[in-house]
Amino acid sequence: MIKVNQIQLEKNLTNVNYPLSKYDLIKYAEEKGIDEKILRALKQLPAKEYATLDDISHSLDTSE
């Protein structure tokens, strides 16, 4: 899993409307042109619905 900075993740996903699926999350990221490292990490997420940013963070290896 790609290591992602928690602050970067929050900055890139501030306007996401939850809940959303992995597919919708990746689509949002591509449309908004978010950081490539974040996008690569999102593509490695399990295919499920995410209700909050914390759900995404817990599925990723985030660092402070």
Side-chain angles (χ1 to χ4, degrees), residues 37-51:
K37 184 177 180 182
I38 301 285
L39 182 58
R40 285 195 315 268
L42 295 177
K43 288 181 177 181
Q44 293 182 15
L45 285 170
K48 67 174 197 171
E49 189 166 280
Y50 295 90

Side-chain angles (χ1 to χ4, degrees), residues 1-54:
M1 185 68 62
I2 297 171
K3 240 185 195 206
V4 176
N5 180 289
Q6 178 68 27
I7 295 168
Q8 259 190 314
L9 185 66
E10 289 173 14
K11 181 181 171 188
N12 282 279
L13 299 179
T14 56
N15 295 320
V16 171
N17 293 318
Y18 297 97
L20 76 167
S21 66
K22 174 186 174 180
Y23 171 81
D24 290 332
L25 182 59
I26 292 169
K27 183 178 171 186
Y28 170 87
E30 290 173 340
E31 287 174 356
K32 297 297 180 184
I34 70 167
D35 182 89
E36 186 62 34
K37 184 177 180 182
I38 301 285
L39 182 58
R40 285 195 315 268
L42 295 177
K43 288 181 177 181
Q44 293 182 15
L45 285 170
K48 67 174 197 171
E49 189 166 280
Y50 295 90
T52 65
L53 180 62
D54 283 342

